Structure formats: structure tokens, C-alpha cells
Amino acid sequence: MYRLKSVIVGRSVLSACLIFLTLMGSCFAGDFHDDFTVVWSRENVIVDDASRTVKLSMNEVAGASLASSDAFLFGSFSVKLKLIKGDSAGTVCSFYLTSYGSNHDEIDFEFLGNETGQPYVVHTNLFSNGVGGREQRMFLWFDPTESFHTYSVIWNHHQILWTVDDTPIRLHRNMESVDSGSYPHKQPMVVAASIFDASTWATRGGAVPTKWEHSPFVVDYKDFTFQGCKSSDNAMSTCTSNYQSNWWETPQFQTLDTNMTSQLRTIHHNYMVYDYCLDQRRYPIPPKECSYNQV
Ligand SMILES: *[C@@H]1O[C@H](CO)[C@@H](O)[C@H](O)[C@H]1NC(C)=O
Ligand SMILES: *[C@@H]1O[C@H](CO)[C@@H](O)[C@H](O)[C@H]1NC(C)=O
């Protein structure tokens, strides 16, 4: 994927409205604000405060990428997205968390475009201590280009849950105690969004490249909402310990209840197109974590 540089390019000129919900939570429910930094090509980031949307666009010259200035250690992160209408083959839009520096951690949502009328694929991945290779891909049960849908990550001391409109699509449990290095738990992450060209791999494995005559490709992001432990706070101990006043750490987010488990099973059964845990060519012996994350 297009990688963020650890050197942030300037401060964003976008208007500020940061509403603090709690000491440790922030909710970007109002205007887009200068706590985001435009990392790549300011002209391709179009903010509309009135509708609380940010359009990221891509043409042959450049795509776009932004990142939160704040970094978080655990929390809940969501955004509403309306993906590229019509031909989006070769393009990837993303919403993800990433730490900076070497041996980075990363929690990804990537949306792989397709030819007009063909379905988008949601690609999720996880890097822990610099190691990724944990891809899952699935179709969605709706047309993500028609209207906004909510994509979220809840990351706490126990598990990472990816959801789409509150329906779980992926679970990754913290099994550090028996499988060291398999869970991001030490490095604060920023929240990022981007659009980039992935002609060589995104659509049908690269068989369908980006058709620039259909550019600009435009994706709408709306209502970024992050509630997490900000790493800049003095009270980092409330992030690193399993602090029960952080709602994302409470028992209902520590495991999946029976209903969520059965929802996740159904989603995987009906929509999964690729799971690294089942890729025997790549992993003749499935990674250890796979047995723990099975539902
Ligand atoms: C694009 O559409 C084709 C045909 O329906 C499908 O096989 C493929 O998985 C879709 N998505 C991507 C990202 O290639
Ligand atoms: C689980 O699903 C059943 C049937 O749909 C519902 O009646 C019940 O309230 C749900 N339980 C929880 C905890 O959501």
C-alpha cells in the first residue's frame, strides 16, 4: 500500500473543530480540522465542512493521503465511506491505523476497485512488529458506491474487531502470552485514509489496470470518529493497563457474544474470497494465530 512517511509534511490548513468527549477520547463530529495532516497532494483533498465530508481524488499525476496528528494506543475508530462510482478498477481506497518507524504496526481496511458493475472487494490486513501477510478479502452485501456505510476498528487489550455497519467481518485476538509478536499492543498508531493506484495488483490480481481516461477517481469520507487513548496524554498508564473506564476495554468488547460470533461465521461463509489462514501455498503450516481467530 502507499506508505505514509514518518515526516509529516506541514500542518493542514483545514479548519479546526475538535470536540473532546472525555479526557482521552476525541470525536471529530463537527468540521474537518487541523488535527489531520494532508500527507500527499493537497489539491486532491477537498473538504466540505457543511456536509462533514472529505473527498479524496486521484488522477494520473497523484492520489491523496491524510493522517491524524494524534496517535492512539487502543480505541475505537470509524468512518463513513462512499466508494468510487463507476469504473474504479486498479484503484485502492483505504482507512487504516499505522505506527511510524521500523517494525511498525498497522490495522487496515483497503477497498479494491473494479470495473463498472463488478463488485468491490474489502481487503483487511494486520501488521504486528513489522510483519504483515495476514490478508483477508471479502465481498460486501451491498453496493458500497451507492451510499455511505460505516467501517470501524475496535482495538483493545483483548482483540481487534473490524466491523461494517456494526456487523463483524474480522476478529484478531490478543494471544501474545502464547504467540509473541502476533498482536499490536505497544506502539501508538495514527489514523489514516488514502487513495492510490494499484494497477499491478488490485483488480483481478492486476489483470485490469487503472483506466486514466475515467479519472479523476473520487471517494467520499465522512464523520471520522476516534475515541481512544491519545499517546500525547500524560495518563499513558490508562492506555497501557486494561483500564475499564475506557469503554472500548469493557467486557462486551473483550470477546464476541454468541450473536456476533454467528454473524461473523455467516459473513465469512457467504462473502470471504481469500483468507491467509487457508492459503496452503503460502503457509503450508497455518500461522499459529489462525487457530485462535477461528470462529
Ligand atoms: C472484480 O470483479 C470480478 C468479476 O466479478 C471478481 O472476480 C473480482 O473478485 C472483483 N474484485 C476484484 C478486486 O478483483
Ligand atoms: C441474539 O439474537 C437473538 C435472535 O435474533 C435476539 O433475540 C437476542 O436478543 C440477541 N442477543 C443479543 C445479546 O443481542
Side-chain angles (χ1 to χ4, degrees):
M1 77 184 310
Y2 175 79
R3 299 237 38 87
L4 287 171
K5 305 284 186 313
S6 30
V7 180
I8 297 276
V9 189
R11 288 286 289 180
S12 139
V13 293
L14 306 162
S15 69
C17 176
L18 175 64
I19 301 163
F20 287 95
L21 284 182
T22 68
L23 272 179
M24 284 151 301
S26 49
C27 174
F28 306 142
D31 302 336
F32 199 74
H33 57 81
D34 65 2
D35 285 76
F36 272 105
T37 300
V38 175
V39 180
W40 189 26
S41 76
R42 186 149 292 165
E43 62 277 14
N44 286 346
V45 178
I46 301 138
V47 177
D48 180 20
D49 285 333
S51 63
R52 299 187 316 225
T53 57
V54 182
K55 285 183 195 296
L56 299 188
S57 74
M58 179 170 68
N59 54 31
E60 207 158 353
V61 178
S65 162
L66 39 96
S68 64
S69 305
D70 287 326
F72 302 88
L73 188 62
F74 304 113
S76 163
F77 309 89
S78 78
V79 72
K80 296 193 180 84
L81 262 177
K82 191 161 74 171
L83 295 169
I84 302 162
K85 196 98 190 118
D87 181 29
S88 58
T91 70
V92 174
C93 301
S94 74
F95 172 61
Y96 63 107
L97 295 131
T98 187
S99 67
Y100 291 132
S102 53
N103 299 329
H104 83 294
D105 294 336
E106 185 177 312
I107 304 171
D108 293 323
F109 265 110
E110 293 187 320
F111 302 88
L112 315 188
N114 219 330
E115 295 166 284
T116 306
Q118 299 305 310
Y120 250 94
V121 162
V122 180
H123 168 115
T124 57
N125 198 1
L126 174 82
F127 284 72
S128 176
N129 201 28
V131 180
R134 299 182 169 92
E135 298 86 354
Q136 280 188 0
R137 290 185 183 188
M138 58 187 68
F139 291 122
L140 289 162
W141 49 97
F142 52 82
D143 178 354
T145 72
E146 272 302 319
S147 54
F148 284 98
H149 292 269
T150 306
Y151 303 88
S152 310
V153 167
I154 297 181
W155 167 42
N156 62 32
H157 283 77
H158 302 269
Q159 62 184 28
I160 298 165
L161 187 64
W162 287 252
T163 67
V164 176
D165 294 332
D166 294 326
T167 301
I169 65 155
R170 179 168 183 177
L171 174 71
H172 187 88
R173 293 198 167 99
N174 182 350
M175 298 307 299
E176 279 292 306
S177 57
V178 292
D179 189 11
S180 175
S182 65
Y183 196 82
H185 65 291
K186 282 194 288 227
Q187 308 190 66
M189 299 201 241
V190 296
V191 187
S194 66
I195 180 171
F196 58 97
D197 178 33
S199 275
T200 57
W201 60 271
T203 307
R204 292 202 272 117
V208 192
T210 307
K211 293 189 188 64
W212 295 108
E213 62 268 32
H214 294 156
S215 68
F217 301 101
V218 182
V219 52
D220 292 311
Y221 292 77
K222 181 175 157 145
D223 299 343
F224 284 96
T225 306
F226 316 148
Q227 292 178 264
C229 246
K230 266 204 287 183
S231 64
S232 53
D233 285 344
N234 295 327
M236 267 299 269
S237 59
T238 63
C239 303
T240 50
S241 70
N242 182 7
Y243 183 59
Q244 292 287 311
S245 297
N246 294 338
W247 67 261
W248 53 90
E249 298 285 358
T250 54
Q252 75 180 106
F253 300 101
Q254 295 179 6
T255 56
L256 283 192
D257 67 20
T258 324
N259 282 10
M260 297 266 275
T261 304
S262 95
Q263 274 182 314
L264 184 55
R265 237 178 244 149
T266 306
I267 294 288
H268 283 187
H269 180 260
N270 293 339
Y271 301 105
M272 185 89 91
V273 288
Y274 177 83
D275 182 1
Y276 75 110
C277 287
L278 303 176
D279 189 343
Q280 294 188 338
R281 189 179 290 212
R282 234 171 128 199
Y283 300 108
I285 300 164
K288 197 169 175 185
E289 68 218 31
C290 291
S291 62
Y292 300 114
N293 296 325
Q294 227 165 32
V295 288

